Amino acid sequence: MLLHDNAPGYAAKVIEELGEAKKKNQTPLYNGFLRILGTAKASAMEDLAKQFFYSGGMVEKSYALDMVLNNKFRSLADQVRELTDEKYGSLSRKAKAVAEEMGL
């Protein structure tokens, strides 16, 4: 709820807690944070999305696409385009939809 009310004010703390949840293998908590962060609108999400594109798994990349679309992070257009390659399977379809919606 804090992210929905004031994403810029709370994003950094939630991202910190996300890292702790992953480090401690708290998968349900980690996935919950991912789901919430994927819908949050804040410029702080751009660095997290970039991190997910470069070092995340398929789930993290999917949420990174959500962050790009929700926040219109045009600076990450190359990462979105890269995921449109068919070798990424269902993630490819999502990346194509994001690219199309953003006019990339």
Side-chain angles (χ1 to χ4, degrees):
M1 286 186 69
L2 295 174
L3 280 176
H4 289 287
D5 291 339
N6 183 6
Y10 294 103
K13 182 64 177 164
V14 173
I15 291 168
E16 179 182 328
E17 292 300 322
L18 172 80
E20 282 296 311
K22 184 170 185 170
K23 189 169 121 180
K24 293 179 180 177
N25 292 321
Q26 297 173 320
T27 305
L29 181 60
Y30 179 75
N31 289 338
F33 279 135
L34 285 176
R35 195 170 29 262
I36 291 166
L37 288 169
T39 61
K41 291 186 178 186
S43 60
M45 310 314 273
E46 189 168 6
D47 288 336
L48 181 62
K50 192 180 300 185
Q51 177 184 338
F52 284 168
F53 279 129
Y54 288 115
S55 62
M58 297 306 258
V59 172
E60 287 86 356
K61 284 179 175 40
S62 177
Y63 283 112
L65 287 170
D66 291 338
M67 290 178 214
V68 167
L69 182 61
N70 290 334
N71 293 284
K72 306 297 185 221
F73 293 143
R74 292 193 154 305
S75 65
L76 298 174
D78 289 341
Q79 288 79 6
V80 172
R81 284 188 199 102
E82 181 180 329
L83 291 178
T84 62
D85 190 316
E86 292 299 322
K87 71 181 180 184
Y88 293 105
S90 62
L91 194 57
S92 167
R93 289 187 292 281
K94 184 173 185 175
K96 287 176 184 175
V98 169
E100 183 178 321
E101 189 160 333
M102 289 184 64
L104 303 175

